[in-house]
Each structure stands twice: as structure tokens, then as C-alpha cells.
């Protein structure tokens, strides 16, 4: 038997734009993802979040599924585009359902859906947006702070900065390395200002969620890419400094003001870690570099050679273990939460209305064991959130990639529990694995 610590926070995660739908309901204003998904060619088959899982209307049914799972916590995001509109009352209703079900709410303030009006003013390339975000954070706390247990400022600033502004594969679709570094800095400033605002309003537990990945392969390129993906955020946020090597590198692209480190380095109560897969690099003089890792000419990003998920991501649970152990040793004193871990596989509904997602069960089982192994080595891991509760809008892939414990038939909005749903329910009930 593998038993987790008493009170381990077993959860599942979602995000507003990926599940809510009701894109224009009750005053919701457009976000950069409404603009991006409605721009031909950006999202596969022109899919958008207009309807998604219709969670805005079906939240009670979905909370009932969470209760059936026995979730201890639920990680969701608040749509900034609903703030200040009648539709913001949705979060009162959702929180009431969650608390009624005995589920601890973990709320992300920003999961990529920047109001388009702010983008029109420069978005994350404009320092002012960081201050607008802090105002939104304070306002959201005022309305919901009495029921939200942990506030997470940002989901994955690396993706917002480097996928949104480096390659442009995500909204707002900018393709400029200087913009990516500038956006990264302003996002961290936004985090720091928001933490200050949340603390001033009385928030007890604040965090940020980073997508972190071990970088495997040749030592020198791996060190650089580790700097560009991991240390560029970990060090300012948890140490109050930019790593010297990263600073020298980013100065090749931008002279943006970087002296906000004191504001950025706000104490947080827990660090959210999204882990899916490591990255693999090797030195290759012919390699053109990767637009999401600016300045990596001469570094090849290689595909994994082992088993992969439907996203083409390598399946590597031991890298979760090593990542958690590294974080606990290099950034001691900050408790950890796995705020996302999961996998997309080709799911099919059988005649008897079942989805036998054995690959997903195997993936989750291996990663839960890896998380336990990290705890055994001293990692202060407080919880594990599966991405995702529901199949949902998978950004540029639209609805073609399914990560859910629950299958969603988008034609009918029917929810179908996958085998992984039952497996996870048993893990939570046992607080561990046989
Ligand atoms: O792709 C699965 C999930 C998304 O649905 C979540 O919204 C997002 O938080 C999330 N992050 C990652 C890993 C980082 C990543 C995201 C998108 C593209 C490339 C890497 C995987 N996921």
C-alpha cells in the first residue's frame, strides 16, 4: 500500500475559458481567446470556447460529479472577462455548490483569458496591465474571499509569455522574442502586485502556478533551456533575483525595466506545479532554435523516444519525482501542490456507455506513485490535482484532445464517467494506492 499524508489534497482542475461557454452571457466581455479562436486558422477546425462544456449552466451537475469522486478540492479559474458584470454572480453560485459538497475551492485569477480591451491597450507588453490585474484581484477577493481557500494569481506565465508572444501559437498570437521576455516580466510584476493586494484585503493563502519541466539531454543546452523555462520564473518569484545567465540572455532581446524584483518576490504560501512531461534537447549547430525558447539557435528540441500521449508528450513519471525533489532542495520552505497532471488519449465510448481509458489510468497511477516517492524523499507536497475533471477546449487543438476523467459528448453535453473516474475515486477514498 502507498498511503499519502493525512489531509492530502486530492483534486481536479479546470479553467474558465475551457469549460464555461456562455461567452456573451450576462455581460461577459471578449477575451483574447475569444478573439484568437474566432480568427480563422488559429484553432483546429475553427473551434471556439463559445459553448465549451456549458459549465456556466451545468455547474451543479458537475459539482455533483466532483462529490461522487470524493474530491477534497477543486481548482478552477475565474474569468476576468466576467468581473464587473452581472455574470460574476456565477462564482457565488459555484462556490456555494462546492462548499455545500465539502470541496475546498482553489481559484486561479488568470488562466489566459485577458480582456480584449486590455490587449487593445498593449496587454502584457504594457506595464499598466499588471496594475489592472492587481485591481481585479482585489475586487475578486472582496466578492469571493470569504469562500475561496487558496488564491492562485497566474496559471503558467511561461505559456502566456512564450507561447502567446514568442511563437504566437496561443493568444494574443504575437511572434517576437523581445515581446515574450517583456510579457514574462510584466506577468511576474502582476503576480507581485496582486499578492500585495490580496494580502492587504486579508487573503490567507496565495500562490502561483508554474508549468515546470526537467530538461533532459546535453548539459549545456539543457542548462540554458532550464533557465529560459524554469529558473526565469522560479528565481525572481522565490529568491527575488533573475538568474545571471538568464539575465544576460534576455538582455540580448529587450531592455525592458527589470527592477521590480522586490515587488515580484512576495512570500507565497504554496507553489503550484503543472507537470506533464520533460523536454529533451541536444546540441545541433544546424538547429534554427525554437520560437518559444528565444535565442536557442544551435539547440535541437527532440521528440521523446518512449511512449507518448495523444499530445505527443513523453510519458515520464520519474521526471515528476525528480522535479519535486529538486524544488524542495533548491527552493526550500515553499510547500508544493501539483496543480495539474494528466494526459490526453484517444477516448472512445463503448456500447455500454463506458470509456475504458486504460492508458490514462496507467499514466495517473504512475505519476501518483512518483509523487509519493518525492514525498518519501522530503518533498513537502500538499496535494495533487488531475488535469482535468472534464474533457474541454484544449486551446489550439480545440475539442480534439480529451484530458478529462469525465468524457463530454459535445453534441448533447452528456457527461460519461471514464474508467479513470472510478479509479481516481478509489485512490481518494483510500488516500493512496494498493
Ligand atoms: O494541455 C493540457 C493543459 C491545458 O489544458 C491547461 O489549460 C494548461 O494549464 C496546461 N499547461 C500544460 C503544460 C504547458 C503547456 C501548455 C500549452 C502548450 C504547451 C505547454 C498543459 N496544460
Amino acid at each position: 500500500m502507498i498511503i499519502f499524508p493525512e489531509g492530502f489534497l486530492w483534486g481536479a482542475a479546470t479553467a474558465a475559458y475551457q469549460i464555461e461557454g456562455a461567452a456573451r452571457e450576462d455581460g461577459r466581455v471578449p477575451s483574447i481567446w475569444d478573439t484568437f479562436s474566432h480568427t480563422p486558422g488559429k484553432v483546429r477546425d475553427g473551434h471556439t470556447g463559445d459553448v465549451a462544456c456549458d459549465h456556466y449552466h451545468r455547474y451543479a451537475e458537475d459539482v455533483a460529479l466532483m462529490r461522487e469522486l470524493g474530491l477534497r478540492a477543486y481548482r478552477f479559474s475565474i474569468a476576468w472577462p466576467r468581473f464587473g458584470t452581472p455574470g460574476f454572480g456565477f462564482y457565488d453560485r459555484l462556490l456555494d455548490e462546492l462548499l455545500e459538497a465539502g470541496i475546498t475551492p482553489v481559484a486561479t485569477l488568470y488562466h489566459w483569458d485577458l480582456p480584449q480591451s486590455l490587449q487593445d491597450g498593449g496587454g502584457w507588453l504594457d506595464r499598466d496591465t499588471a496594475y489592472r490585474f492587481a485591481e481585479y484581484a482585489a475586487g475578486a477577493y472582496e466578492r469571493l474571499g470569504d469562500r475561496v481557500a487558496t488564491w492562485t494569481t497566474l496559471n503558467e506565465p511561461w505559456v502566456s509569455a512564450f507561447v502567446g508572444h514568442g511563437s504566437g501559437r496561443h493568444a494574443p498570437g504575437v511572434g517576437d522574442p523581445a515581446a515574450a521576455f517583456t510579457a514574462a516580466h510584466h506577468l511576474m510584476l502582476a503576480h507581485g502586485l496582486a499578492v500585495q493586494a490580496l494580502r492587504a484585503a486579508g487573503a490567507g493563502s496565495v500562490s502561483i502556478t508554474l508549468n515546470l519541466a526537467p530538461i533532459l539531454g546535453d548539459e549545456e543546452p539543457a542548462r540554458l533551456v532550464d533557465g529560459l523555462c524554469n529558473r526565469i520564473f522560479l528565481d525572481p518569484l522565490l529568491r527575488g533575483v533573475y538568474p545571471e545567465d538568464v539575465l544576460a540572455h534576455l538582455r540580448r532581446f529587450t531592455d525592458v525595466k527589470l527592477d521590480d524584483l522586490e515587488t515580484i518576490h512576495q512570500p507565497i504560501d504554496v507553489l503550484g506545479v503543472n507537470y506533464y512531461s520533460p523536454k529533451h534537447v541536444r546540441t545541433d549547430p544546424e538547429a534554427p532554435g525554437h520560437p518559444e525558447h528565444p535565442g536557442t539557435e544551435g539547440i535541437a528540441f527532440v521528440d521523446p523516444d518512449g511512449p507518448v500521449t495523444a499530445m505527443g508528450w513523453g510519458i515520464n513519471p520519474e521526471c515528476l519525482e525528480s522535479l519535486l525533489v529538486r524544488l524542495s532542495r533548491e527552493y526550500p520552505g515553499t510547500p508544493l501542490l501539483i496543480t495539474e497532471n494528466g494526459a490526453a488519449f484517444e477516448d472512445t465510448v463503448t456500447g455500454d456507455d463506458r470509456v475504458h481509458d486504460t492508458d490514462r489510468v496507467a499514466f495517473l497511477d504512475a505519476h501518483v506513485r512518483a509523487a509519493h516517492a518525492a514525498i518519501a524523499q522530503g518533498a513537502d507536497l500538499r496535494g495533487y490535482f488531475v488535469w482535468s475533471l472534464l474533457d474541454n477546449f484544449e486551446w489550439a487543438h480545440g475539442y480534439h484532445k480529451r484530458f478529462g476523467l469525465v468524457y463530454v459528448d459535445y453534441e448533447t453535453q452528456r457527461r460519461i464517467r471514464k474508467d479513470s473516474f472510478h479509479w481516481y475515486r478509489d485512490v481518494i477514498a483510500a488516500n493512496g494506492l494498493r
Side-chain angles (χ1 to χ4, degrees), residues 14-15 18 75 111-112 155-156 158-159 163 169-170 209 211 274-276 279 292 311 313 340 387-388 392-395 397 403:
T14 63
Q18 297 181 266
R75 174 177 180 249
H111 201 121
W112 308 352
N155 178 72
E156 303 187 338
W158 181 85
V159 176
V163 185
R169 191 160 57 97
H170 277 194
T209 274
N211 56 296
N274 289 357
Y275 171 78
Y276 290 86
K279 289 178 180 171
E292 291 164 15
M311 298 292 278
W313 298 347
E340 286 178 30
W387 183 270
S388 177
N392 58 51
F393 177 76
E394 181 48 40
W395 308 113
H397 296 277
F403 280 85

Side-chain angles (χ1 to χ4, degrees), residues 96-423:
D96 292 344
E97 284 294 316
L98 290 169
L99 295 179
E100 173 66 29
I103 297 169
T104 299
V106 175
T108 304
L109 282 160
Y110 183 68
H111 201 121
W112 308 352
D113 47 356
L114 183 72
Q116 183 60 43
S117 57
L118 288 174
Q119 182 62 33
D120 296 342
W124 293 113
L125 300 185
D126 185 320
R127 201 181 158 77
D128 220 39
T129 303
Y131 292 83
R132 300 293 74 74
F133 178 67
E135 288 160 5
Y136 154 56
Y141 183 86
E142 210 171 292
R143 279 287 301 268
L144 310 171
D146 57 330
R147 286 156 284 162
V148 168
T150 291
W151 291 88
T152 301
T153 53
L154 305 175
N155 178 72
E156 303 187 338
W158 181 85
V159 176
S160 300
F162 292 94
V163 185
H165 298 79
S167 63
R169 191 160 57 97
H170 277 194
V174 170
D176 170 2
F181 287 115
T182 301
H185 184 75
H186 289 160
L187 280 153
M188 284 195 275
L189 175 61
H191 161 78
L193 292 168
V195 170
Q196 289 176 327
L198 288 164
R199 296 287 194 208
S205 174
V206 297
S207 72
I208 185 170
T209 274
L210 303 177
N211 56 296
L212 297 171
I215 315 297
L216 308 177
D218 295 344
E219 189 180 338
E220 206 175 301
R223 178 75 184 154
L224 171 62
V225 174
D226 177 61
L228 293 176
C229 297
N230 301 323
R231 292 182 289 114
I232 189 172
F233 292 105
L234 286 166
D235 285 24
L237 292 165
L238 300 179
R239 293 178 176 166
V241 289
Y242 268 100
E244 277 311 308
D245 59 334
V246 171
L247 199 53
H249 189 89
L250 72 81
R251 276 297 175 225
R252 287 169 44 194
F253 298 93
T254 173
D255 55 5
V256 67
K257 212 165 79 81
L258 294 177
D259 52 11
D260 302 293
L261 274 297
E262 229 174 279
T263 306
I264 291 171
H265 184 212
Q266 296 297 316
I268 57 174
D269 300 280
V270 63
L271 175 69
V273 178
N274 289 357
Y275 171 78
Y276 290 86
S277 185
K279 289 178 180 171
H280 302 253
V281 296
R282 63 176 164 73
T283 301
D284 171 2
E286 304 299 305
H290 192 304
E292 291 164 15
H293 308 80
T296 53
E297 293 75 15
I299 296 177
F301 290 75
V302 297
D303 290 337
D305 48 20
V308 295
T309 68
M311 298 292 278
W313 298 347
I315 299 175
N316 208 312
E318 37 304 340
C319 277
L320 172 59
E321 178 186 343
S322 62
L323 171 64
L324 294 172
V325 171
R326 172 199 179 179
L327 291 171
S328 62
R329 289 182 183 153
E330 294 183 14
Y331 303 90
T334 304
L336 304 172
L337 264 187
I338 295 171
T339 35
E340 286 178 30
N341 176 246
F345 290 106
E346 294 307 318
D347 291 325
T348 46
V349 183
T350 57
D352 60 346
D353 240 13
R354 302 292 299 272
V355 177
H356 299 303
D357 57 337
T358 46
D359 287 345
R360 185 171 292 104
V361 169
F363 180 98
L364 295 174
D365 184 283
H367 287 79
V368 165
R369 289 174 192 279
H372 190 268
I375 293 173
Q377 296 170 74
D380 182 6
L381 181 66
R382 303 291 175 87
Y384 175 88
F385 290 71
V386 172
W387 183 270
S388 177
L389 174 74
L390 303 170
D391 292 341
N392 58 51
F393 177 76
E394 181 48 40
W395 308 113
H397 296 277
Y399 297 99
H400 291 282
K401 301 297 178 189
R402 294 176 177 274
F403 280 85
L405 295 167
V406 176
Y407 183 96
V408 176
D409 174 344
Y410 296 107
E411 301 296 312
T412 63
Q413 288 296 354
R414 206 155 59 92
R415 274 79 163 135
I416 300 171
R417 299 161 186 76
K418 302 179 188 177
D419 288 359
S420 54
F421 177 99
H422 304 292
W423 171 86

Side-chain angles (χ1 to χ4, degrees), residues 16-18 20-35 38 49-50 56 79-88 91 112-116:
Y17 190 73
Q18 297 181 266
E20 286 181 5
R24 303 311 300 260
E25 204 150 324
D26 300 333
R28 181 182 178 279
V29 298
S31 74
I32 57 176
W33 266 97
D34 294 275
T35 306
H38 282 267
D50 286 357
Y56 186 81
W80 194 348
R82 296 194 196 278
F83 182 66
T85 77
F88 202 72
Y91 299 104
W112 308 352
D113 47 356
L114 183 72
Q116 183 60 43

